[in-house]
Amino acid sequence: MFRDSAAKTAGRYGALAVVMGFILLPGLWLLVSSLKTNQTIFSSTPSWWIEEPTLDHYSWALGGRGLDMTKLMGNTLIVCGLTALLTAFFACLAGYGLARYQGRGARVAIVGLLIAQMVQGPMIMLPWYQIAMNLQLLDTRTILVLIYQTMTLPAAVWLMSGFFKNVPTELEDAAQVDGAGRFRTLVSVILPLTKPGLVAVGLYAFILAWNDYQYALIMTSSSNTRTVQIGIAQVMESMGAQNWGGILAAGVLAVIPVVVLFALAQRYLIQGLTAGAVKS
Amino acid sequence: MNQTPVPTARPGTRPAPTGRPGPAQPPHPGSVSRPGRIRRWRQKHGFWLLLMSPVLLYLLVAQFYPLFETVRLSTFDHRLTSPDPQRFVGADNYQHLFTEDRNFWRVVRNSFLWVIGSTTLQLVVGTTIALVLNQRLRLRGLWRGLMLIPWVMPVVVVAIIWRWIFDGQHGLANHYLTQIGILDEPIVWLGSEIWVWPVLLLTSTWMGSPFIALMVLAALQGISRDVLEAADVDGTSARQRLMYVTLPMIRPTLFVAGMIAVVLTWFKFEVIWALTNGGPGFATSILPTYVYTQAFQRFDFGMAGAVAATAMLIILIIAGILARLFGRR
């Protein structure tokens, strides 16, 4: 194509700078503030320059005498890991079924997944709480893993079925000619080809579970089950303005795993997520 | 990643089924012996249904049943604080909400303010971001990845960020706004019934627009260069191209993204709860946070069910109207 004038190029990058500033500066301010000493955090002229960088707030956030993020993160890690594994397993089965099934039921299943994706939070909170109470599962990790499946599975199945559709069916036919059963075909022929998809779906579930606030809020209370989000939110309520530094540091710590995992899964997730949205 | 993506293919537009040809259909089903038919049915459907069944059953039990249970609860007097068992009361909870509850209508009004303000801003800002990132830029992939950061952040951390920026005493917002002379004196943003709203809307826009931008970006990349070049040759201005070529072409995507945003925002409990707890007072309470207030602060599950059921009814009506207005044209 033709070349743009310098002014046009400048305009494009100017617009990019504005957009990126809006998106990144708030998070950067969190990071910068968390590294300041208490004196400079509360100075009357906030500055983007860190005079004397300090990790004091981080040691408060991580340590047992402070917020004890180490323990909170341990709790959350167990819950999120289990959630991710379960989601990946069942989304793999159902996604494969959905990708290959040709009967009328497939439409019903797709509409069901779509509705399930919307049916969240306040619409199902009350019965879930009662069920948890009746089964004596309140304040356990089990109930968190169970309820997290409701938010991860619908989109995870959809994503997986997208990945499976990219695998040509000739491979299955070949495997069957070689005498492999259908499960065997799935496990040893198809799955190795969709491994990136499986990993992406697992990471997706992990991130959703890690970020959850509403379900953990109603389901957990004791320090043994509390998740990162609940721990931070509680400290924010109780200490509020007195310990901004510690809260900010905790926020940075809570966001690191998510950003790292998302960077890993980004490519596959974006492919899968936008494919369905644009075709319709 | 709270604004979760949704499978949006409509049943009719599902890509042509790939897969094995399957056994030929018997020309006259009646003429085949029963066991043969069952075997054939199982071959065609059985395995795939078996694979899907755990998830579908789980969604049925874990999401669809609770939906009905919530509606059922709304017709019962069920308070966790009272030792009495549940008692059927018909529409009493609703009647109480609609006529006696002093906060309810305010909460409904807040809900509309929230959903209209928040989704409009998300759509506008999200589309703008997408248009900017769709230009020829170096490192476009990197910018697109960075753009999504607010969207994958935990809502609690997002709340920390914006509470800190809008802190009444030490916040960046007050500092800059007084410096450039827009404000005469600092505002306690989250403590004010009016000023808390801009903060909420800004936060939800910051968090929600990347997802819209992602979808719009994908749609923009689907527009062929030829179309835009043809318009260019015809001597149109950049603004005309945007208004009469680009935007109409991404209209279906905008509609889908808008619908998703409306429904998810309507039921979004977390942003508001993490930021303001619905306060000060009930100034930022919306129906979802009011469900929480009723159920887990007043322990009145029947009333909470009625609030939730009302919220569902209203969003069904809104979605229906929106689909009528913008859906098919």
Side-chain angles (χ1 to χ4, degrees):
Chain A
M1 264 174 67
F2 45 87
R3 295 188 70 183
D4 286 341
S5 66
K8 267 191 170 173
T9 311
R12 277 207 308 261
Y13 284 95
L16 176 71
V18 172
V19 163
M20 284 333 240
F22 170 66
I23 287 171
L24 296 178
L25 286 182
L28 193 63
W29 181 238
L30 171 83
L31 182 64
V32 167
S33 307
S34 72
L35 292 166
K36 290 177 174 175
T37 59
N38 262 331
Q39 278 165 340
T40 45
I41 281 188
F42 296 128
S43 100
S44 58
T45 49
S47 143
W48 287 83
W49 178 250
I50 309 166
E51 286 294 335
E52 313 155 56
T54 169
L55 290 176
D56 284 357
H57 300 306
Y58 286 87
S59 66
W60 177 84
L62 284 169
R65 306 182 66 184
L67 180 53
D68 205 1
M69 280 282 277
T70 331
K71 172 139 196 214
L72 292 173
M73 284 173 122
N75 283 342
T76 319
L77 211 61
I78 296 173
V79 172
C80 296
L82 277 173
T83 303
L85 285 179
L86 275 177
T87 300
F89 179 73
F90 285 107
C92 172
L93 292 185
Y96 187 52
L98 190 63
R100 294 289 189 255
Y101 183 48
Q102 304 171 43
R104 250 178 260 149
R107 278 185 191 186
V108 180
I110 289 174
V111 173
L113 289 174
L114 180 63
I115 297 176
Q117 179 72 33
M118 300 281 183
V119 177
Q120 299 286 341
M123 282 183 276
I124 59 170
M125 248 177 201
L126 310 171
W128 263 93
Y129 183 82
Q130 291 192 305
I131 294 168
M133 201 161 57
N134 293 338
L135 297 177
Q136 306 209 309
L137 284 174
L138 271 187
D139 204 22
T140 61
R141 291 175 189 141
T142 316
I143 195 74
L144 283 183
V145 174
L146 286 176
I147 200 167
Y148 286 168
Q149 300 302 317
T150 65
M151 57 176 189
T152 59
L153 271 177
V157 171
W158 179 255
L159 284 171
M160 274 320 292
S161 86
F163 291 118
F164 284 122
K165 275 185 190 143
N166 287 337
V167 178
T169 47
E170 284 80 6
L171 282 175
E172 285 145 326
D173 298 338
Q176 283 197 326
V177 170
D178 289 345
R182 280 166 154 178
F183 264 115
R184 180 78 198 281
T185 312
L186 171 61
V187 173
S188 46
V189 179
I190 310 295
L191 268 190
L193 292 171
T194 48
K195 216 188 264 167
L198 201 60
V199 173
V201 165
L203 292 179
Y204 165 79
F206 190 98
I207 293 174
L208 276 192
W210 182 274
N211 286 357
D212 166 71
Y213 173 51
Q214 57 185 356
Y215 294 130
L217 182 66
I218 60 168
M219 293 296 185
T220 63
S221 50
S222 72
S223 66
N224 284 324
T225 52
R226 254 187 312 169
T227 63
V228 170
Q229 314 301 336
I230 300 302
I232 301 179
Q234 279 176 351
V235 142
M236 195 156 59
E237 292 312 318
S238 59
M239 310 184 65
Q242 295 140 47
N243 191 0
W244 263 117
I247 293 170
L248 297 170
V252 174
L253 290 172
V255 97
I256 289 173
V258 178
V259 171
V260 171
L261 292 181
F262 182 70
L264 293 177
Q266 209 227 91
R267 200 158 61 95
Y268 301 104
L269 279 180
I270 290 178
Q271 258 174 22
L273 296 182
T274 48
V278 178
K279 268 181 213 147
S280 63
Chain B
M1 201 184 289
N2 27 57
Q3 194 138 332
T4 34
V6 181
T8 43
R10 301 197 191 119
T13 58
R14 189 163 166 262
T18 49
R20 73 195 73 254
Q25 286 285 352
H28 303 292
S31 69
V32 182
S33 66
R34 253 189 98 74
R37 252 168 72 196
I38 291 174
R39 202 176 57 224
R40 238 165 246 173
W41 189 90
R42 265 183 45 194
Q43 263 185 355
K44 188 157 177 254
H45 303 271
F47 180 65
W48 311 118
L49 288 180
L50 181 70
L51 287 180
M52 284 192 274
S53 55
V55 168
L56 294 182
L57 281 178
Y58 190 74
L59 297 185
L60 219 54
V61 175
Q63 287 179 280
F64 289 85
Y65 161 69
L67 209 56
F68 292 110
E69 175 66 17
T70 301
V71 177
R72 193 193 67 86
L73 261 176
S74 73
T75 61
F76 279 77
D77 179 8
H78 180 39
R79 287 171 233 197
L80 298 190
T81 43
S82 98
D84 309 336
Q86 306 184 12
R87 188 167 55 87
F88 180 75
V89 293
D92 279 10
N93 289 331
Y94 293 95
Q95 202 202 343
H96 176 85
L97 270 186
F98 297 161
T99 59
E100 288 161 48
D101 189 318
R102 278 183 301 129
N103 299 312
F104 181 74
W105 291 109
R106 185 174 192 199
V107 168
V108 172
R109 203 192 58 202
N110 286 343
S111 287
F112 276 96
L113 182 63
W114 165 245
V115 82
I116 294 170
S118 176
T119 46
T120 311
L121 283 168
Q122 282 177 44
L123 279 175
V124 172
V125 174
T127 309
T128 310
I129 294 176
L131 287 169
V132 169
L133 290 187
N134 193 43
Q135 303 173 69
R136 269 180 300 143
L137 297 163
R138 275 164 204 273
L139 303 173
R140 207 160 68 177
L142 174 71
W143 305 125
R144 192 185 63 178
L146 287 176
M147 164 197 92
L148 290 168
I149 288 183
W151 177 56
V152 294
M153 271 196 185
V155 68
V156 173
V157 178
V158 173
I160 292 177
I161 290 178
W162 291 98
R163 272 167 90 148
W164 173 230
I165 290 176
F166 283 95
D167 187 67
Q169 283 180 292
H170 312 286
L172 209 54
N174 274 336
H175 176 70
Y176 285 141
L177 289 175
T178 45
Q179 214 169 37
I180 58 175
I182 292 182
L183 291 183
D184 294 332
E185 51 187 40
I187 291 180
V188 185
W189 296 86
L190 295 180
S192 149
E193 296 203 350
I194 294 168
W195 292 111
V196 66
W197 276 104
V199 179
L200 270 185
L201 292 176
L202 180 62
T203 307
S204 82
T205 307
W206 187 73
M207 223 183 156
S209 41
F211 176 64
I212 308 274
L214 182 67
M215 286 179 54
V216 174
L217 207 51
L220 285 174
Q221 279 159 6
I223 299 180
S224 89
R225 275 231 113 66
D226 300 351
V227 179
L228 290 173
E229 269 170 48
D232 199 32
V233 171
D234 288 343
T236 52
S237 71
R239 213 191 117 246
Q240 283 173 322
R241 281 201 296 280
L242 176 67
M243 295 306 290
Y244 299 111
V245 182
T246 310
L247 286 185
M249 288 193 82
I250 58 170
R251 209 190 117 112
T253 305
L254 280 179
F255 170 71
V256 172
M259 284 293 269
I260 295 174
V262 165
V263 176
L264 289 180
T265 313
W266 181 257
F267 286 109
K268 189 131 273 306
F269 156 83
E270 300 187 304
V271 179
I272 290 189
W273 198 258
L275 218 60
T276 68
N277 277 359
F282 283 92
T284 56
S285 282
I286 58 169
L287 288 164
T289 65
Y290 206 49
V291 172
Y292 183 88
T293 306
Q294 292 286 0
F296 299 103
Q297 291 181 336
R298 298 186 185 155
F299 304 105
D300 191 338
F301 268 53
M303 203 62 77
V307 177
T310 311
M312 289 189 248
L313 187 66
I314 298 178
I315 194 63
L316 274 179
I317 296 171
I318 296 179
I321 293 174
L322 285 180
R324 264 284 167 80
L325 282 181
F326 303 106
R328 288 180 199 139
R329 223 194 281 165

